[in-house]
């Protein structure tokens, strides 16, 4: 009986060590991903400030690759794409930001502006404009330029 209990305890200890080791590796990977995301975001901010909007969108893509569920990154990339003249990418990212956080008034405001820039899709802008107003985004009646929040 004792040898079975000892063997079970030894197996449990090995499993516990493996689990702890895997968690440490995952923690290290998360930290590296967070550093990469922060570095890409910082570079995106710098390229935005220089007016290099296409390059800014590329940097944001690197951040989004690490954190694909962040509506703020999608909204920021939509603004950069719009400023770079890529209306299709801007509308896609704005819609994705809304899908990730439909209660985000700034997401709806961004979607409205992106849709208004794309003449073929202008009709959808009113819905997002009204939702932004409903959610209390100040200035939604005359949505501001696509400047950084």
């Amino acid at each position: 009986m004792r040898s079975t209990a000892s063997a079970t305890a030894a197996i449990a200890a090995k499993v516990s060590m493996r689990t702890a080791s895997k968690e440490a590796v995952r923690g290290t990977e998360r930290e590296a991903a967070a550093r990469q995301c922060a570095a890409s975001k910082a570079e995106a901010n710098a390229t935005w400030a220089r007016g290099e909007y296409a390059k800014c969108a590329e940097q944001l893509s690197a951040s989004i690759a690490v954190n694909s569920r962040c509506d703020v990154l999608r909204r920021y990339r939509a603004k950069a794409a719009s400023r770079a003249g890529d209306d299709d990418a801007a509308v896609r990212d704005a819609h994705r930001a809304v899908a990730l956080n439909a209660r985000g008034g700034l997401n709806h405001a961004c979607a409205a502006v992106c849709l208004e820039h794309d003449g073929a899709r202008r009709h959808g802008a009113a819905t997002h404009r009204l939702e932004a107003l409903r959610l209390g985004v100040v200035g939604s009646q005359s949505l501001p330029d696509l400047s950084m929040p």
Side-chain angles (χ1 to χ4, degrees), residues 19 24 35-36 39-40 51 59 67 73 79 99-100 107 119 125 148:
T19 301
R35 282 192 301 275
Q36 177 189 351
S40 295
Q59 290 298 322
N67 187 3
L73 291 173
K79 292 176 182 184
L100 288 168
N107 294 340
M148 270 294 292

Side-chain angles (χ1 to χ4, degrees), residues 99-136:
L100 288 168
N101 181 8
R103 295 177 58 100
L106 292 175
N107 294 340
H108 287 282
C110 179
V113 171
C114 290
L115 286 165
E116 286 172 350
H117 282 200
D118 183 4
R121 300 179 199 164
R122 205 168 261 246
H123 63 278
T127 302
H128 288 289
R129 181 182 297 273
L130 290 172
E131 188 62 12
L133 275 170
R134 188 185 74 74
L135 291 168

Side-chain angles (χ1 to χ4, degrees), residues 65-76:
V66 174
N67 187 3
S68 64
R69 306 233 0 111
C70 179
D71 64 305
V72 175
L73 291 173
R74 297 287 181 153
R75 184 176 66 236
Y76 186 8

Side-chain angles (χ1 to χ4, degrees), residues 25-79:
V25 168
R26 276 188 236 136
T28 303
E29 289 171 351
R30 278 193 298 265
E31 290 171 8
R35 282 192 301 275
Q36 177 189 351
C37 186
S40 295
K41 176 73 168 56
E43 183 59 27
N45 290 343
T47 56
W48 177 279
R50 292 190 303 265
E52 300 171 3
Y53 302 114
K55 196 177 265 189
C56 178
E58 288 175 23
Q59 290 298 322
L60 290 165
S61 294
S63 291
I64 290 169
V66 174
N67 187 3
S68 64
R69 306 233 0 111
C70 179
D71 64 305
V72 175
L73 291 173
R74 297 287 181 153
R75 184 176 66 236
Y76 186 8
R77 190 170 71 176
K79 292 176 182 184

